[in-house]
Amino acid sequence: MTDTQTNEVIQAQVAVLGAGPGGYTAAFRAADLGLKTVLIERYPSLGGVCLNVGCIPSKALLHTAAILNEAKEISHMGVSFGAPQIDLEQMRVGKQAVVNKLTGGLAALAKQRKVQLVRGVGQFVSSNRIAVQGKNGTQQVSFDHCIIACGSSAVKIPGFPNEDPRLMDSTDALELADIPARMLVIGGGIIGLEMATVYSALGSQIDIVELQPGLIPGCDRDLVKPLERRLKKQLNRIMLETKVSQISPQKDGLKVSFEGKQAPAQAELYDRVLVAVGRSPNGHKINAAAAGIQVDERGFIPVDQHMRTNVPKIYAIGDVVGNPMLAHKATHEAKVAAEVIAGLPALFDPLTIPSVAYTDPEVAWMGLTETEAQAKGIAYDKGVFPWAASGRALGIGREEGITKLLFDPETKRILGAGIVGVNAGELIGEAVLALEMGADAEDIGLSIHPHPTLCETLGLAAEMAEGSITDLLPPKKR
Ligand code: NAD
């Protein structure tokens, strides 16, 4: 990894601020297009939250959780394992090895591309210069073009004892300091449920408190229901339409008071509390005003479809430009920004950005949701295939899944898809491709899916919409 600190001003054709999935992709693409590129990052390794303390370590832990659950549930097939022996230190080592492999790979790729890495906290000093505060002083970087990829931070709730190490954000929770006997998760969104899945499999007794009337707000209720049913069996308590009113640190735990519809009458004591109530953009942390860059009151930086900010030659991508805050959005925006700078005719104009909760079962959706269609009065046809009729789902003992496809009633083209079930996150990719390629129900139904697989359920859901299904009775025509 090229790691620079000089007294001279570094001249860059492209300076990229932040080396998360958006930032390193932008820098690598810019370098591949022949531009002299400098990548500024405050942390020792590349990859940002996603690789270091987010998507990747959480997936390594979720894989372990899935195996723990599967081992417990396979007894109906005549195999029993004893109680698992959990070596927490080895779990941490294993998780870190996955992270190191990826971040090490990125460092090598940066070097091979001659992307110059400047380590430290970057702040704008003008519309063509960034000062990077590093360990050994300040490094000035002057640029022709800049791509801001400074990401987002976990939201903290004011008034909570945020300095108490027992009150965690997702980064703390992924460190696996211990397996708390009792843990509260504040926020029943994606992070909250993924971490609840991990800690519950490790043996913690988990309560979840969620402000809204359901888990994963924004996702169709029929998709959340099978997950909720399973969580209710695994977790101690799910409190909906409820919030935490106070947390007071005690010697033997955090004492939490609740208010709302399902609030317990008494305060409860927890060994640890995880706050997972969303992330906020880092737009106010880079002295954007010195460059004249517009930042809205929440911290988002507005951009056009070419990822340009209001300041010519300064671009922004990833979490800091808006929701959804997802790595796969950032990487695509990154390529657009680098290509536009290189003079290529690029535009960020996807038909959809898929969402996945890597819970057990997983929940994945893309395109139009039924909830959105109903709210906006958009007409749609629906094909739903219940996994109870899938030989593969039955074979793996997971028949609770559903694959749902929405189609335009006129053109029959796919509008949206939602899947709940194991590997839903892998399966949704086919629906994204179908939407981007303008596939209709017949295209999907007539595409021969391998049997017996879970991906077959997409073809069968299309057959449900077409009325050509034979594995179930065809639904009555509306
Ligand atoms: P989120 O927005 O997905 O969920 C936050 C939840 O907290 C919501 O359900 C909200 O209603 C609830 N909430 C808010 N304030 C509350 C309060 N005071 N008390 C109780 N509940 C409250 O946010 P997140 O789960 O923190 O994730 C943050 C971001 O990271 C999201 O943009 C998410 O998409 C992204 N992320 C994605 C993945 C993935 O793709 N698998 C994984 C982790 C994070």
Side-chain angles (χ1 to χ4, degrees):
M1 177 159 39
T2 323
D3 190 355
T4 311
Q5 182 82 55
T6 73
N7 290 328
E8 284 166 29
V9 176
I10 295 175
Q11 307 286 338
Q13 282 179 296
V14 182
V16 181
L17 184 55
Y24 78 71
T25 303
F28 290 5
R29 185 76 181 122
D32 289 350
L33 291 168
L35 299 163
K36 181 180 183 300
T37 305
V38 168
L39 181 55
I40 302 164
E41 170 57 49
R42 62 182 153 166
Y43 291 127
S45 60
L46 304 183
V49 170
C50 168
L51 260 71
N52 290 284
V53 289
C55 323
I56 300 303
S58 64
K59 265 49 312 149
L61 297 183
L62 280 159
H63 172 65
T64 310
I67 288 177
L68 285 168
N69 289 338
E70 279 190 3
K72 222 187 279 175
E73 289 166 9
I74 198 70
S75 58
H76 74 283
M77 294 299 275
V79 179
S80 298
F81 296 93
Q85 307 258 322
I86 295 171
D87 177 347
L88 214 49
E89 177 53 26
Q90 187 53 42
M91 246 179 111
R92 283 191 286 262
V93 169
K95 171 198 68 155
Q96 201 52 44
V98 174
V99 172
N100 293 350
K101 205 174 255 183
L102 280 170
T103 56
L106 285 182
L109 286 173
K111 198 171 179 179
Q112 285 159 355
R113 292 184 156 93
K114 300 192 171 45
V115 169
Q116 190 173 1
L117 186 77
V118 177
R119 213 174 289 190
V121 177
Q123 303 248 309
F124 284 95
V125 288
S126 71
S127 61
N128 61 3
R129 191 177 282 216
I130 294 174
V132 184
Q133 186 63 49
K135 252 198 231 148
N136 306 318
T138 305
Q139 173 68 60
Q140 301 286 331
V141 177
S142 149
F143 58 80
D144 300 335
H145 296 89
C146 177
I147 302 174
I148 303 168
C150 61
S152 62
S153 311
V155 167
K156 285 190 190 328
I157 300 183
F160 283 5
N162 288 306
E163 301 310 312
D164 192 311
R166 295 169 297 181
L167 187 67
M168 308 186 291
D169 62 16
S170 56
T171 302
D172 305 321
L174 287 168
E175 277 173 15
L176 287 180
D178 56 20
I179 302 172
R182 289 203 61 192
M183 179 164 137
L184 173 70
V185 174
I186 307 179
I190 289 184
I191 295 184
L193 295 184
E194 288 184 0
M195 292 319 298
T197 303
V198 168
Y199 276 91
S200 158
L202 291 176
S204 295
Q205 190 188 79
I206 309 274
D207 287 355
I208 294 184
V209 55
E210 164 59 50
L211 211 50
Q212 299 296 322
L215 300 174
I216 321 184
C219 178
D220 285 347
R221 290 305 92 192
D222 56 344
L223 300 176
V224 176
K225 208 169 265 168
L227 168 66
E228 201 166 343
R229 231 178 271 135
R230 193 166 153 93
L231 285 173
K232 275 188 177 151
K233 282 188 215 146
Q234 290 172 342
L235 309 183
N236 184 49
R237 181 159 40 180
I238 299 173
M239 297 168 267
L240 300 174
E241 294 180 82
T242 303
K243 65 176 184 176
V244 169
S245 51
Q246 203 189 352
I247 302 181
S248 38
Q250 319 260 311
K251 220 168 151 201
D252 52 350
L254 294 168
K255 197 163 192 184
V256 180
S257 311
F258 300 87
E259 59 186 47
K261 221 170 183 172
Q262 296 177 351
Q266 311 249 307
E268 300 278 334
L269 195 67
Y270 296 96
D271 301 295
R272 287 183 179 271
V273 174
L274 167 64
V275 178
V277 296
R279 298 184 64 84
S280 74
N282 287 336
H284 288 304
K285 297 181 180 170
I286 53 171
N287 200 28
I293 304 159
Q294 196 188 328
V295 183
D296 77 12
E297 68 284 358
R298 289 173 302 168
F300 285 118
I301 298 177
V303 288
D304 65 14
Q305 280 190 312
H306 302 284
M307 312 317 297
R308 288 189 184 107
T309 69
N310 64 311
V311 178
K313 304 197 171 174
I314 300 185
Y315 298 70
I317 58 167
D319 288 6
V320 78
V321 304
N323 287 310
M325 295 192 192
L326 297 171
H328 47 272
K329 177 184 79 106
T331 53
H332 281 263
E333 291 173 339
K335 288 189 176 166
V336 170
E339 289 168 9
V340 170
I341 291 170
L344 299 176
L347 192 75
F348 186 72
D349 189 23
L351 290 180
T352 187
I353 300 164
S355 294
V356 182
Y358 296 90
T359 41
D360 181 21
E362 292 184 352
V363 188
W365 64 102
M366 70 100 220
L368 184 72
T369 65
E370 239 186 312
T371 315
E372 194 186 342
Q374 284 162 3
K376 293 182 180 165
I378 300 171
Y380 62 93
D381 282 344
K382 179 165 75 162
V384 180
F385 186 79
W387 288 20
S390 153
R392 187 60 188 270
L394 291 174
I396 59 170
R398 297 302 297 267
E399 60 185 84
E400 78 272 28
I402 297 171
T403 298
K404 170 170 79 172
L405 301 180
L406 305 184
F407 296 100
D408 184 316
E410 299 294 321
T411 65
K412 305 288 180 206
R413 282 191 175 185
I414 187 169
L415 295 173
I419 306 175
V420 54
V422 285
N423 289 328
E426 305 290 340
L427 302 176
I428 201 71
E430 176 179 336
V432 174
L433 188 65
L435 181 70
E436 289 287 356
M437 303 304 289
D440 61 21
E442 198 177 38
D443 294 327
I444 300 169
L446 289 183
S447 298
I448 301 181
H449 291 75
H451 175 77
T453 59
L454 296 174
C455 76
E456 213 176 7
T457 64
L458 283 135
L460 294 167
E463 289 186 2
M464 288 294 274
E466 287 275 278
S468 57
I469 187 94
T470 47
D471 282 9
L472 285 169
L473 287 177
K476 288 206 175 76
K477 283 255 178 288
R478 272 195 278 171

